[in-house]
């Protein structure tokens, strides 16, 4: 799906950074972006807040918040391909904006 490998600086320059999948892998990914103000979290099975700092949104909220200058990081170890396919087909995320960790 990805055309080219993106470095951390390129991802941080995006208007918004979405993390999809709030599990153990997510915690490691978020550490790289701890100071960023443009972080949004999404998960099918979790809601509420993460560390009293970030709101965890349902996937349906993607449709409202996604813009072309957004990096979408699949921060789940399991089912990355299936998640990527769902994000593209169901939520109309550009494949060029997807990053799998």
């Amino acid at each position: 799906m990805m055309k080219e490998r993106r470095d951390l600086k390129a991802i941080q320059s995006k208007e918004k950074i979405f993390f999809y999948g709030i599990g153990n892998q997510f915690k490691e990914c978020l550490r790289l972006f701890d100071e960023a103000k443009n972080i949004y979290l999404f998960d099918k099975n979790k809601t509420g807040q993460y560390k009293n700092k970030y709101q965890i949104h349902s996937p349906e909220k993607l449709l409202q918040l996604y813009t072309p200058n957004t990096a979408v990081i699949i921060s789940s170890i399991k089912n990355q391909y299936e998640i990527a396919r769902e994000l593209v087909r169901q939520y109309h995320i550009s494949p060029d904006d997807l990053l799998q960790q």
Side-chain angles (χ1 to χ4, degrees), residues 20-32:
Y20 191 96
I22 312 304
N24 291 329
Q25 182 71 19
F26 157 76
K27 294 171 189 173
E28 293 298 319
C29 294
L30 184 62
R31 288 182 195 184
L32 298 171

Side-chain angles (χ1 to χ4, degrees), residues 30-92:
L30 184 62
R31 288 182 195 184
L32 298 171
F33 300 92
D34 198 34
E35 299 301 317
K37 305 282 188 239
N38 55 346
I39 302 278
Y40 297 83
L41 309 182
F42 299 89
D43 196 282
K44 275 188 173 181
N45 303 312
K46 296 180 183 172
T47 58
Q49 288 201 334
Y50 180 77
K51 292 193 173 186
N52 294 321
K53 186 173 181 180
Y54 304 105
Q55 179 68 36
I56 302 172
H57 302 283
S58 69
E60 289 72 29
K61 189 82 169 172
L62 277 165
L63 297 171
Q64 296 171 2
L65 297 173
Y66 176 73
T67 59
N69 193 20
T70 300
V72 181
I73 300 170
I74 300 173
S75 52
S76 172
I77 292 175
K78 293 182 178 181
N79 307 320
Q80 287 189 353
Y81 176 77
E82 291 81 5
I83 292 170
R85 187 176 60 213
E86 179 180 341
L87 289 171
V88 170
R89 291 181 179 171
Q90 187 172 346
Y91 300 107
H92 311 290

